[in-house]
Amino acid sequence: MSNNPLLDTSGLPLFDQIKPEHVTPAIDVLLKQAEEALNKVTGPAVPADYDALSLLLDVATERLGRAWGAVGHLNSVADTAELRAAFNENLPRITDFYTRLGADERLYAKYKALAQSEQGQTLSAPRKRALDNALRGFVLGGAELQGAAKERFAAIQEEQAALSQAFSEHVMDATDAYAYYATTDELAGIPQDVQDATAAAAQAEGKAGHKLTLHMPCYLPVMQYATRRELREKMYRAYSTRASEFGPGEQDNTALMQKIVALRQEEAQLLGYGTFADVSLVPKMAQSPQQVMDFLRDLAKRARPFAEKDMAELRDFARTECGIGDLQAWDVAFVSEKLKEARYAFSDQEVKQYFTEPTVLKGLFGLIETLFDVTISPDTAPVWHESVRFFRIERRGELIGQFYLDPYARSGKRPGAWMDDVRGRWKRPDTSATQTPVAHLVCNYAKGVGDKPALLTHDDVTTLFHEFGHGLHHMLTKVEDIGVSGISGVEWDAVELPSQFMENFCWEWNVVHKLTRHVDTVASLPRELFDKMTAAKNFQSGMMTLRQIEFSLFDMRIHAEAGNDQRVQAVLDEVRQEVAVNIPPSFNRFQHSFSHIFAGGYAAGYYSYKWAEVLSADAYAAFEEAADGQSGVLNTDVGRRYREAILEAGGSRSALENFKAFRGREPQIDALLRHQGMS
C-alpha cells in the first residue's frame, strides 16, 4: 500500500504510475479514513468549531476527493476496459459515502450549532458563505428526511450515478466505434490536412484509403467541405444517431434518459419540491423555472427574425448556387460554409492555416500575463499521455497555480472540451500552509500531421480561450476557504461568466494578430482577412441563438414538468416546433448524446450558457468602454478590477455581488444583443 500512487497526495497526482489495480485498494483506505473522520467529528469530543470540523473532516474528504478525481479524470481522457471496470466498481461506494455525508443528521446538527454559536456570528464573509452553502447542501442532500424516505433518497443517488456514468460510456463508445474507410475520390472538397490525417489513420491500421470518424476534427470538416452529398448524409446519420436505438442495443441511451429523468423527479418530491427543476435552481441565480423559460422565450422572440432571415438566405443560396432544392440537415454546414465564402470571400480552412498551436498559446499566455499581472511558464509533472503539457502561473515570483493542457482528440478520450480541478486553493488546517490550485484544461482539436504543428480553426481558438477562462477562475482566486475558493460555491448559472468573457478577445485585432503565424509562410493574419472574419462574426447568429435556446428549453421542460420521463422525444419535438427554424430529420437523436444534462452537471441548468452570456458580454463591455487607440481593450486597470472583483473573489460572495463590485450596477442585456448583431 505504501507504493500506491493514489495514496500519495503530498504533491501532484502521479498520473504516470496510476494503474487500474491501484484504484480499489486506495479507495478502501481513503474511505475508511473518511468514515473515521466523520464518526469522530460528529462525536461529543469535537466542538462545533469551524477549524476543528475542517481539520478532521475536510482534510479526509479532500484527500479522498483528489484521489477519486484523478481516477475519474483518467477515465475521461485515457479510458481502458480495465480502468473503466475499476471506476465502475468503486463509483457506488463513493456515491454512497458522499450521499451519507450530505444527509448525516449528526453532522447537520453540528453545523447548525456552529451557525448559531458566537463564532458562527463572527465568521469572515467567505467562511459565512461556505457555512450557509453547507447548511443548504444538507437540506438538498436529504439530511432532514427520515426512515424509508432517507433510504430511498440514498438509493436514488447511487442509481443516478451509475446511470449517468453508463450514459457517458455509451456516447464515448459509440463515437469511438464508428469508422468509415473512404476512397480519395469520396473526399472531394475536403481540406488536404484533413485528408492527410485520415490517410495516416487508415495506414496505421494497415488499411487503404481514409479513416473517417465521428471525432470533431474529422467529422466537422467532412460536413463543411465534402462535395459528395451522400458522404455528408452518411456521416450525419452516424453522428446524430449515436447511442440510440439505431445502433447496438447495449449502447442505446433511450431507457437511461427515461430512468434518469424519473429518478430526478422522485428525488425532488422526496425533498418536498414540485419538480427537479425547482431543486436545481435553489443554489442558482435564477429564482424559478418559469423565470428561466420566460428569459429563454424572450430571447427567442428577439432572435427569431434574424434566424428566419438566416434560414431563408441559406435555402435560397442552396437552390441557386449549390443546386440543392431540398436543403437537408446534412447540407446545412456545407451550404453555410459556401455562403460564407461567397459573401465574405474567405473560408475557415484559409483562416486555419494562420492559427498554429504554438503561436496561439504564446499569444493567449501573453494576453493573460498583460491583463492579470502574472507570468506563465512551462513546468514539469507526471502526465497520462505524451501530448499533455504542464505549466505554472506566478506573480512576481510567487506560485499562484498550475495547469495541465491536454489538447488533442484521440480514442479513449471523451469528446468536447472542459476544465476540471485537480485541487483547490486552501489554507490547509493540518499544515497552516496555503495549497495552490491546479487545473485540467482539456480540448479535442486535431494533432499536427508529420512535423507540422497543430492547426486550429477559429472555433478551436475560441474554445481554448473559453476553457482558460474557467481555469483562471479556479487558479487566480485569493480565497483560502475550500468551499468557496475559485469556482467552488459559484452559482451554476454564473460559472460560465469568466469562460465566455475570454471568448471576446478572439475578435480583437490587437489580440488576434499576435495569435497567428502561417504554417508555411510564417506571416501573421492579414488585417484584410481579419476584417472579413469580423464582418462574418454574426453570420447565422440568429440561428445559433435559437439552437442554444432549443437545447436549454428542452432541458428545462423535461425537468420542470412531471411525467416527461416518458416524453423525452416528444418534448424535444415540441420545443423545436416552438423555437427552431431548422428542424432536423425525424431520425435525429441529439438527446441521446446530450451528456451535459444526462451525465454532467447541467441538468435543468443548460440555460446557464445564455444566462451567463448576459453577464459576460456586459463585463466585457467595461473593457470596450475603456479602450484606447494604443492598447485597445487590453486596459490593465480594468483587468485588475475584473480580476479582483470576479476571479479573485470566486464563490466567497454571490455572483451578483461580484458583478456589481466590478460594474457598479446590475447586469444588462444590451451588450449581448449588440455583440451578436441583434440590437
Side-chain angles (χ1 to χ4, degrees), residues 164 167-168 171 242-243 253 257 260 264 547-556 558-559 568 572 576 589-607 609:
S164 293
F167 185 99
S168 182
V171 175
R242 286 176 301 158
N253 275 336
M257 288 186 293
I260 288 168
R264 288 171 176 167
R547 184 169 174 266
Q548 286 295 98
I549 292 170
E550 175 190 318
F551 299 165
S552 303
L553 198 54
F554 161 68
D555 166 45
M556 187 54 66
I558 61 168
H559 291 110
V568 173
L572 183 55
R576 284 171 171 162
R589 292 294 182 269
F590 154 77
Q591 67 274 24
H592 285 67
S593 58
F594 197 2
S595 296
H596 273 78
I597 69 168
F598 292 114
Y602 284 85
Y606 195 80
Y607 76 91
Y609 283 101

Side-chain angles (χ1 to χ4, degrees), residues 299-309 546 578-581:
L299 195 53
K301 184 179 176 182
R302 294 169 187 257
R304 189 167 193 88
F306 298 93
E308 288 174 340
K309 182 170 177 284
L546 288 191
E578 178 183 354
V579 301
V581 294

